Amino acid sequence: MAMYLLNRLTYPQRLFVWLLAYSVLLVGSFVVFQYHREKVFKGDEINTKLQLINTYILTELEEGYEPAAISLKEFYPLDNIRMSIISDSGHIVYDNALETLPGTNHLGREEIKQALKSGTGYSVRRQSESDGNYYFYSAKRGDSGFIVRTAIPYSVSLSTLLQADYGFLWVMGIITAVMCVLGYFATRRVGLHIQRLNKFAENVENGGKISDVEPFPHDELGEISNHIVRLYAKLQKANHDRELEHRAAMHEQMEKERIKKQLTNNINHELKTPVASIRICVETLLSHKNMSEEQTNLFLRRSLLNTERLERLLADVALITRMDDGKDSIIKEYVNLSDIIDSVVIDRQLTAESKGMVIENGIDREIKIYGNPSLLESVFYNLIDNAIAYSGGSKIRLGIEYCLNDKIVLSVSDNGCGIPPEHLERVFERFYRIDKGRSRAAGGTGLGLSIVKNAVKIHGGNIVAENLRTGGLSFRITLPKHTVGTGRDE
């Protein structure tokens, strides 16, 4: 009902109602907070005075005075002070207002609990079970274990003293009224301008001429939003899309040219070493025909190793070129990624064992994604081969970090030496090597991790490398997925 009545109001009126409600809520919250704070402050002030009396009583008791001999008349204007001495077991051993001491235990009283916990405590208004009157209690624990408690009757004068200053409430009420009056004029003016702007926006959207627009009439804020948003959203979206397309086309073209130039230079450099080595071996064999069979086999094996290296390099270059130039022509289908990973792990297990390493496959569920089987296979072949060749560890582990409805995050990690942090951002660059001599000695082409990154990117994912705190290197692969089969953990 309230919302119905509110919607029947004009926009300036609704704006004023909301501003009024906000002002009342803000001022009301501040008044409640200040009122409570002032009462607590006054309670603390009275407690401070009574704590001075408690300290005086404890001092007198320590000097050997009997409780009945301690006079409290000098503590004016506090009069009718009730003094109680309570043992650490909670029983009253002296009370100047009672002829017969009660046998009830006082450990549950609020001021006693506070005094036992922090040394002092007080209770603003509580009825005494002994005489039925209401008191303000203040307690303090002495070094001997006894608790001295003083109390003053909760009379009309004390109640008035503890009350907050109502003059503050009047001041805040006046301030609220002034805010409402100023808010009314401010919201009324803003509301009229917005209504006129709404009509102006409607005319512009309908193709009307600005000169033909009548003086801005009344309308609603919702219509303002609709018209202005539609008008400017169309213009901004068209300009934004056109600018993005132009930038993307220019960036893609420049990136292709840069990558091709870099790839050509790197290939030329990488081909020199194996070709030169093969040439030296062949020339040596031709010029030393009487060479022993053992030496001949040595040069032939060197030639074969360099030939194999050339084959791997050409195969990797062909794959990189295919991914760069034929992204749209790469055929994708729904594949079981778990089966692909199992096949790669089985295939590389013997190679890992020959290096003293073990491959642990922690992917124990069926994962179906939309992708290219050969490219996905190359991702895990290259990551495992990279760990075998360069990690220096004893274990390689593949696992699932987490699996959501729309994506899955896999990891390939080892317990080796890791890599220096400054190289983490560049390990996916083509022909980038941390230790060039060691990489070539291991037979690497320098394109493996670049192939991995491009293959993951083609599938709409991303990959990052990071050193583990426990030692070793981890590659985290994020891939989008469309369907997920049921597995043991799901």
Side-chain angles (χ1 to χ4, degrees):
M1 183 64 181
M3 290 302 298
Y4 172 75
L5 294 175
L6 189 62
N7 290 331
R8 290 180 62 87
L9 299 176
T10 63
Y11 175 71
Q13 293 171 336
R14 291 204 306 271
L15 191 60
F16 173 72
V17 169
W18 285 115
L19 181 62
L20 177 63
Y22 172 80
S23 301
V24 171
L25 179 62
L26 179 64
V27 174
S29 300
F30 182 78
V31 167
V32 171
F33 169 78
Q34 185 65 21
Y35 181 81
H36 173 73
R37 182 181 179 186
E38 190 172 348
K39 288 190 66 174
V40 171
F41 172 78
K42 291 185 176 181
D44 289 339
E45 187 177 9
I46 295 176
N47 177 58
T48 300
K49 294 179 181 179
L50 290 178
Q51 289 295 345
L52 292 175
I53 300 175
N54 292 337
T55 302
Y56 167 77
I57 295 171
L58 286 171
T59 302
E60 294 292 296
L61 291 174
E62 290 174 358
E63 291 179 359
Y65 287 92
E66 292 295 326
I70 299 175
S71 175
L72 304 178
K73 294 181 179 181
E74 59 186 86
F75 293 99
Y76 183 84
L78 296 177
D79 53 1
N80 298 326
I81 297 176
R82 177 181 174 183
M83 177 179 68
S84 304
I85 300 176
I86 303 167
S87 67
D88 55 359
S89 62
H91 295 90
I92 295 180
V93 297
Y94 175 79
D95 193 304
N96 64 353
L98 299 176
E99 296 181 359
T100 303
L101 298 178
T104 57
N105 192 292
H106 284 61
L107 292 179
R109 304 295 194 270
E110 182 63 27
E111 69 278 1
I112 303 300
K113 289 193 294 184
Q114 293 178 15
L116 290 173
K117 182 178 180 181
S118 59
T120 62
Y122 73 93
S123 178
V124 175
R125 187 176 188 270
R126 197 185 72 243
Q127 186 177 22
S128 172
E129 295 181 1
S130 303
D131 58 14
N133 296 323
Y134 287 90
Y135 290 90
F136 184 105
Y137 290 97
S138 177
K140 184 172 184 176
R141 184 187 59 192
D143 295 334
S144 61
F146 284 88
I147 298 173
V148 171
R149 185 183 69 180
T150 53
I152 55 177
Y154 200 86
S155 59
V156 176
S157 59
L158 178 61
S159 176
T160 303
L161 178 63
L162 289 173
Q163 285 182 351
D165 184 11
Y166 285 102
F168 169 77
L169 300 181
W170 283 106
V171 172
M172 295 305 299
I174 294 172
I175 292 175
T176 304
V178 172
M179 289 176 60
C180 292
V181 173
L182 296 176
Y184 169 76
F185 288 105
T187 54
R188 182 173 179 271
R189 183 172 181 178
V190 172
L192 292 174
H193 279 289
I194 291 178
Q195 287 178 326
R196 294 173 182 175
L197 181 61
N198 178 42
K199 184 61 177 179
F200 170 79
E202 183 179 6
N203 290 338
V204 171
E205 186 182 27
N206 294 331
K209 296 180 180 180
I210 296 178
S211 58
D212 296 337
V213 176
E214 299 178 358
F216 297 140
H218 298 287
D219 213 331
E220 297 296 327
L221 180 60
E223 295 175 349
I224 297 173
S225 301
N226 291 333
H227 297 314
I228 294 180
V229 167
R230 279 197 296 265
L231 176 63
Y232 287 98
K234 290 178 182 178
L235 296 175
Q236 291 178 353
K237 188 176 186 303
N239 292 333
H240 182 66
D241 291 345
R242 184 168 61 252
E243 185 178 354
L244 285 180
E245 290 175 359
H246 178 70
R247 288 182 180 178
M250 292 294 294
H251 177 74
E252 185 176 1
Q253 183 63 28
M254 293 175 63
E255 188 67 13
K256 282 184 177 181
E257 293 176 0
R258 185 190 67 81
I259 291 175
K260 285 183 178 180
K261 184 177 180 180
Q262 183 185 48
L263 185 62
T264 301
N265 293 335
N266 288 333
I267 291 172
N268 181 54
H269 177 74
E270 293 294 327
L271 288 175
K272 286 181 180 180
T273 301
V275 169
S277 180
I278 293 172
R279 179 174 180 175
I280 291 173
C281 290
V282 172
E283 288 178 348
T284 303
L285 290 172
L286 290 175
S287 60
H288 297 80
K289 296 183 179 180
N290 297 326
M291 189 180 299
S292 66
E293 182 178 354
E294 182 179 355
Q295 289 180 322
T296 301
N297 289 335
L298 175 62
F299 283 103
L300 289 174
R301 282 195 297 273
R302 287 181 180 176
S303 298
L304 179 61
L305 287 174
N306 281 281
T307 303
E308 291 174 348
R309 182 180 172 189
L310 282 173
E311 288 179 346
R312 290 194 298 271
L313 179 60
L314 293 174
D316 286 348
V317 170
L319 183 55
I320 285 281
T321 304
R322 176 182 167 219
M323 288 191 289
D324 284 345
D325 297 336
K327 293 181 181 179
D328 296 334
S329 62
I330 293 176
I331 299 175
K332 296 181 182 179
E333 59 187 9
Y334 283 102
V335 296
N336 190 335
L337 187 59
S338 304
D339 291 344
I340 293 175
I341 294 173
D342 285 339
S343 175
V344 174
V345 169
I346 293 171
D347 184 67
R348 306 311 292 161
Q349 196 72 257
L350 290 176
T351 304
E353 291 175 359
S354 68
K355 299 287 186 178
M357 303 181 73
V358 176
I359 304 177
E360 293 182 359
N361 186 5
I363 300 174
D364 55 359
R365 69 177 69 184
E366 186 180 72
I367 306 167
K368 289 186 178 180
I369 69 171
Y370 191 68
N372 182 274
S374 62
L375 289 184
L376 292 171
E377 189 177 70
S378 70
V379 169
F380 294 96
Y381 263 120
N382 279 290
L383 291 177
I384 292 175
D385 286 344
N386 184 76
I388 293 173
Y390 307 118
S391 71
S394 61
K395 182 173 67 176
I396 303 170
R397 189 179 189 282
L398 292 85
I400 300 176
E401 295 206 2
Y402 57 86
C403 184
L404 303 176
N405 291 331
D406 59 340
K407 67 179 179 180
I408 186 166
V409 180
L410 307 172
S411 64
V412 180
S413 57
D414 60 69
N415 62 347
C417 58
I419 63 175
E422 63 268 19
H423 295 290
L424 285 175
E425 295 294 330
R426 302 192 62 189
V427 292
F428 297 106
E429 294 181 12
R430 298 174 184 185
F431 296 106
Y432 183 79
R433 291 184 172 92
I434 299 172
D435 186 341
K436 296 184 178 180
R438 182 186 173 198
S439 299
R440 289 196 175 93
T445 64
L447 291 172
L449 293 182
S450 180
I451 290 173
V452 169
K453 185 175 182 65
N454 280 272
V456 171
K457 188 176 180 181
I458 285 174
H459 286 84
N462 70 292
I463 180 171
V464 294
E466 60 183 2
N467 287 315
L468 299 175
R469 294 182 179 177
T470 55
L473 184 66
S474 175
F475 290 92
R476 183 183 291 118
I477 309 160
T478 303
L479 291 171
K481 59 190 179 72
H482 298 269
T483 58
V484 180
T486 57
R488 283 169 282 179
D489 293 341
E490 293 183 355

